[in-house]
Amino acid sequence: MTQQITLKGNPVDVEGTLPAPGDTLPDFSLTGANLRDVALEAFAGKRKIFNIFPSMDTPTCALSVKRFNAEADALDNIALLQISADLPFAHARFCAAEGLENGTTLSMMRDKRFAKDYGVLIANGPMAGLCARAVIVADEQGTVLHSELVSEIADEPNYDDALAALKV
């Protein structure tokens, strides 16, 4: 399935289907900070926030990473997954420079299927091959409680709606 979002007002196609509330999260294998593969099962038994974005080196992405990192402090039994195409080295550099300690950074450097399986693969335009901005919240069993594909890449996600899904 192809959806359309915008990048600074210009149409961009996104491939795949974003998991919707009630869906079960698709499995994945992404690259962690230690360059080891990390699968969804590593977060079994925890509630999950997927903060998916194009690159930590863009202003809006940096804001979302910092905001979700700060919000995670007040939440119990949470796995905060910060996911992009950035290399693990870039993730580590950014988090160290910003003093961010919550969450797990994951790179799709080895497995581009994640972006399509999760409905966030930018198919064309200057950011083709990267992830669109999206947030997915799931319970301990991997059932989706909330999902948002942000309609304009330059906009931040709706943090309040994402966090409210965890309070149900």
Side-chain angles (χ1 to χ4, degrees), residues 6 11 21 27 29 58 65 71 95 98-99 118 147-148 151 155:
T6 57
D27 198 10
S29 179
T58 63
V65 169
E71 297 286 353
C95 291
E98 297 294 333
Y118 275 74
S147 63
E148 175 192 13
S151 61
D155 290 346

Coordinates of all heavy atoms in Angstrom, one line a residue, residues 6 11 21 27 29 58 65 71 95 98-99 118 147-148 151 155:
T6 N 3.7 14.8 3.2 CA 4.4 15.9 2.5 C 5.8 16.2 3.2 O 5.9 15.8 4.4 CB 3.6 17.2 2.5 OG1 3.3 17.5 3.9 CG2 2.4 17.1 1.7
P11 N 4.5 16.7 -2.0 CA 4.0 15.3 -1.9 C 5.2 14.3 -1.9 O 6.1 14.4 -2.7 CB 3.1 15.1 -3.0 CG 2.8 16.4 -3.6 CD 3.9 17.3 -3.2
P21 N -4.2 0.5 15.6 CA -4.7 0.0 16.9 C -5.4 -1.4 16.7 O -6.2 -1.5 15.8 CB -5.6 1.1 17.4 CG -5.0 2.3 16.8 CD -4.6 1.9 15.4
D27 N 7.4 -8.5 13.5 CA 8.8 -8.7 14.0 C 9.8 -7.9 13.2 O 9.5 -7.4 12.1 CB 9.2 -10.2 14.0 CG 10.3 -10.5 14.9 OD1 10.7 -9.6 15.7 OD2 10.8 -11.6 14.9
S29 N 14.4 -7.0 12.8 CA 15.7 -7.2 13.2 C 16.5 -5.9 12.8 O 16.7 -5.7 11.6 CB 16.4 -8.4 12.5 OG 17.7 -8.6 12.9
T58 N 18.4 16.0 12.0 CA 17.5 17.1 11.5 C 16.8 17.7 12.8 O 16.6 17.0 13.8 CB 16.4 16.5 10.5 OG1 15.6 15.5 11.2 CG2 17.1 15.9 9.3
V65 N 13.2 13.0 19.6 CA 14.1 12.1 20.4 C 14.2 12.6 21.9 O 14.1 11.9 22.8 CB 15.4 11.9 19.8 CG1 16.4 11.2 20.7 CG2 15.3 11.1 18.5
E71 N 10.1 12.2 28.5 CA 8.8 11.6 28.9 C 9.0 10.2 29.5 O 8.2 9.8 30.4 CB 7.8 11.6 27.8 CG 7.4 12.9 27.2 CD 6.4 13.7 28.1 OE1 6.0 13.2 29.1 OE2 6.2 14.9 27.8
C95 N 23.1 11.0 21.3 CA 22.7 10.8 22.7 C 23.7 11.2 23.7 O 23.3 11.8 24.7 CB 22.3 9.3 22.9 SG 20.8 8.9 21.9
E98 N 23.7 15.1 23.9 CA 22.5 15.6 24.5 C 22.2 15.1 25.9 O 21.3 15.5 26.6 CB 21.3 15.3 23.6 CG 21.3 15.9 22.3 CD 21.2 17.4 22.3 OE1 20.7 18.0 23.3 OE2 21.8 18.1 21.4
G99 N 23.1 14.1 26.4 CA 22.9 13.6 27.7 C 21.7 12.7 27.8 O 21.0 12.6 28.9
Y118 N 6.6 -1.6 8.5 CA 6.0 -0.7 9.5 C 5.3 0.4 8.8 O 4.8 1.4 9.5 CB 7.0 -0.3 10.5 CG 7.1 -1.3 11.7 CD1 7.8 -2.5 11.6 CD2 6.5 -1.0 12.9 CE1 7.9 -3.4 12.6 CE2 6.6 -1.9 14.0 CZ 7.3 -3.1 13.8 OH 7.3 -4.0 14.8
S147 N -1.2 4.6 16.8 CA -0.2 4.8 15.7 C -0.5 6.1 15.0 O -1.7 6.5 14.9 CB -0.2 3.6 14.8 OG -1.5 3.5 14.1
E148 N 0.5 6.8 14.6 CA 0.4 8.0 13.9 C 1.5 8.1 12.8 O 2.7 8.0 13.2 CB 0.5 9.2 14.8 CG 0.6 10.6 14.1 CD 1.0 11.7 15.0 OE1 1.5 11.5 16.1 OE2 0.8 12.9 14.5
S151 N 1.7 13.6 9.0 CA 1.4 13.9 7.6 C 2.4 14.9 6.9 O 2.5 14.9 5.7 CB 0.0 14.5 7.5 OG -0.1 15.7 8.3
D155 N 6.9 18.3 10.7 CA 6.1 18.5 11.9 C 6.4 17.4 13.0 O 6.8 16.3 12.7 CB 4.6 18.4 11.6 CG 4.1 19.6 10.8 OD1 4.8 20.6 10.7 OD2 3.0 19.5 10.3

